[in-house]
Amino acid sequence: MSPPRLDNRAARALFLDRHALAESPSGPGKGDDLQALIERLGFVQLDSVNTVARAHDLILFARRPAYRSDNLTRHYAKGQLFEHWTHDASVIPRAFYPHWQIRFARNAGTLKDRWKNWQGEAFHDHFEPVLTHIRDNGPVSAAEVGGDEKKGGSGWWDWHPSKAALEYLWHTGALTVVGRDAFRKRYDLTERVIEETLRETRPDPAETIDWCCTAALDRLGFATSGEIAAFWATVTPQEAKDWCAAECAAGRLEPIRIEGADGTERIAFARPGTTEFEIPAVTQRLRVLSPFDPALRDRNRAERLFGFRYRIEIFVPEAKRQYGYYVFPLLEGDRLVGRIDMKAQRDQDVLRVTALWPERGVAWGAGRQARLESELARLCRLAGVSRVAFADGWLREPK
């Protein structure tokens, strides 16, 4: 018997619903509402690029237009979130902290020798001095440790041994990030930051593997075992594969066919009855998404599901870029309808649109333009400017 099937329209609607992008964006975007949104998403990736607003701010703004960047800063300071690694640096609900114990333990087993080969034997010698300095003087940034060993560079390859020690101690749980100044992490002793009930709760690996896989699937709606493993980037692909097999055998999971944007089908896993769910009405609101939005960070899945191929071109030489340095996807309803190159020029109080490329088959008429202008006017408030300006020749032909 063939597995049940989700057609492409239903698959997109379910996926967007799980990512809080199906409903009309509303809510205060602060306090309990902000906490509930982050818990619904699982985590919010942090990124420093600020051409319009930073990635974490855009992710939250796309779902809560009342959100402002200070809301996350204040909420972080209240202690309901912690910062650590998923697939990248992220803010995560603090209640999830016990399930990072497996990551701390695995990092301790893999990073020490790997980083020793990079930093040399002296790297290990900085653990205790760094911990003692923090214990005696309070939270520090990497700029406040290291003395004359600093090399002056900004890339990870230029880390001085004390910076590497800070990061290692953070990756393995001895230190916790307590905030950022100008996007520079500040570290403190975990025992002074994370309450004992969370710090001393240590689920066994099987429990954390089950939690990670269950929580990932809940936030994706349907997924392959590889996509489940990649969500938190904590369990291994084999652990996720074994979990899927065990859940299927227990009747708590079933394979389903997912129709892609091109009509091809792919097998994924979902909870029984997923194909019978009532398709949510997807708002027709046009929104600017961060390139690191959780709905888009798996570029291959976004391409299969939405027919939207996206690659960030920050590290591509300008002459070889297909679109631009940092181009934002545009979501309208359940379609990715284009991408826009723009920058907040704060010294000129303007959000300047350089170019917009509709996707093939998308007509850019007056109605769509009005929806774009309404969204950009809202975005100005987040970006800290008061007006929008379109460069000559900004509307481009699809590529």
Side-chain angles (χ1 to χ4, degrees):
M1 182 177 175
S2 181
R5 179 177 182 270
L6 268 184
D7 65 31
N8 185 244
R9 175 172 169 265
R12 291 198 312 268
L14 174 58
F15 188 73
L16 291 172
D17 177 68
R18 296 300 175 91
H19 286 82
L21 288 171
E23 67 263 30
S24 181
S26 63
K30 59 184 177 180
D32 292 344
D33 178 64
L34 183 60
Q35 180 71 17
L37 176 60
I38 296 172
E39 288 180 1
R40 180 175 175 182
L41 297 175
F43 60 88
V44 174
Q45 181 178 340
L46 299 168
D47 191 74
S48 63
V49 177
N50 196 13
T51 55
V52 173
R54 290 189 167 117
H56 43 282
D57 293 326
L58 279 168
I59 290 167
L60 296 167
F61 175 84
R63 295 151 173 88
R64 298 290 188 272
Y67 168 85
R68 298 294 180 267
S69 58
D70 285 348
N71 296 5
L72 182 62
T73 302
R74 287 193 296 268
H75 193 66
Y76 193 166
K78 289 179 181 178
Q80 291 183 278
L81 304 170
F82 75 103
E83 180 178 334
H84 216 270
W85 213 255
T86 55
H87 68 293
D88 211 321
S90 304
V91 288
I92 306 158
R94 191 172 288 202
F96 299 173
Y97 185 87
H99 293 295
W100 260 251
Q101 296 289 356
I102 190 173
R103 193 178 196 111
F104 300 153
R106 289 178 175 182
N107 284 346
T110 60
L111 295 183
K112 197 168 187 177
D113 287 338
R114 189 191 310 164
W115 286 17
K116 181 181 71 176
N117 292 336
W118 158 42
Q119 286 282 331
E121 290 287 349
F123 157 59
H124 294 171
D125 298 336
H126 288 255
F127 294 169
E128 283 307 317
V130 162
L131 290 169
T132 298
H133 179 86
I134 295 172
R135 188 173 293 110
D136 293 343
N137 298 282
V140 300
S141 69
E144 296 170 282
V145 297
D148 59 7
E149 70 189 26
K150 297 172 187 174
K151 301 177 184 178
S154 59
W156 65 266
W157 54 89
D158 282 331
W159 285 3
H160 53 78
S162 292
K163 162 67 172 174
L166 279 172
E167 283 288 302
Y168 175 83
L169 292 167
W170 174 56
H171 277 285
T172 55
L175 297 179
T176 294
V177 172
V178 292
R180 289 176 179 252
D181 298 328
F183 216 70
R184 183 185 295 121
K185 292 196 289 285
R186 294 190 64 77
Y187 309 80
D188 200 355
L189 301 177
T190 295
E191 64 205 54
R192 293 202 294 228
V193 180
I194 303 296
E195 52 268 43
E196 186 177 6
T197 53
L198 292 177
R199 200 173 65 245
E200 297 303 320
T201 300
R202 299 175 183 272
D204 64 47
E207 184 180 348
T208 287
I209 290 166
D210 180 67
W211 181 89
C212 284
C213 293
T214 298
L217 185 61
D218 287 346
R219 289 164 176 81
L220 294 170
F222 53 84
T224 65
S225 62
E227 290 166 346
I228 289 170
F231 185 85
W232 303 105
T234 295
V235 303
T236 68
Q238 186 61 53
E239 287 167 343
K241 186 176 181 180
D242 292 343
W243 179 85
C244 288
E247 290 292 287
C248 283
R252 294 187 292 265
L253 206 61
E254 67 178 5
I256 65 172
R257 293 175 293 149
I258 303 296
E259 182 187 26
D262 63 358
T264 60
E265 294 181 352
R266 193 167 190 250
I267 296 293
F269 295 101
R271 295 301 183 190
T274 295
T275 57
E276 300 164 11
F277 86 111
E278 184 176 349
I279 300 173
V282 178
T283 178
Q284 292 304 300
R285 177 78 160 262
L286 189 148
R287 314 184 219 210
V288 174
L289 298 185
S290 163
F292 300 109
D293 194 279
L296 294 175
R297 71 176 181 87
D298 186 330
R299 311 294 192 210
N300 293 330
R301 182 173 55 210
E303 187 170 354
R304 287 194 305 271
L305 199 55
F306 297 97
F308 184 80
R309 179 176 174 79
Y310 182 87
R311 299 294 183 270
I312 198 160
E313 297 183 287
I314 288 176
F315 302 111
V316 177
E318 185 173 0
K320 295 184 178 181
R321 289 175 190 151
Q322 185 178 11
Y323 294 102
Y325 172 80
Y326 198 84
V327 173
F328 301 89
L330 297 173
L331 176 70
E332 184 183 49
D334 65 354
R335 299 174 67 194
L336 287 155
V337 296
R339 59 198 86 201
I340 186 169
D341 188 6
M342 58 185 174
K343 184 174 182 179
Q345 297 178 327
R346 297 178 179 89
D347 58 335
Q348 300 175 38
D349 194 30
V350 64
L351 178 61
R352 191 170 303 280
V353 176
T354 303
L356 186 152
W357 297 266
E359 287 295 282
R360 291 189 182 278
V362 173
W364 205 267
R368 188 163 276 129
Q369 179 64 16
R371 289 191 288 277
L372 172 68
E373 291 177 8
S374 294
E375 177 69 357
L376 295 183
R378 289 185 288 267
L379 191 56
C380 280
R381 295 191 284 273
L382 180 71
V385 297
S386 65
R387 62 191 178 92
V388 180
F390 291 84
D392 292 341
W394 63 272
L395 186 58
R396 308 291 178 85
E397 292 294 323
K399 290 190 178 184

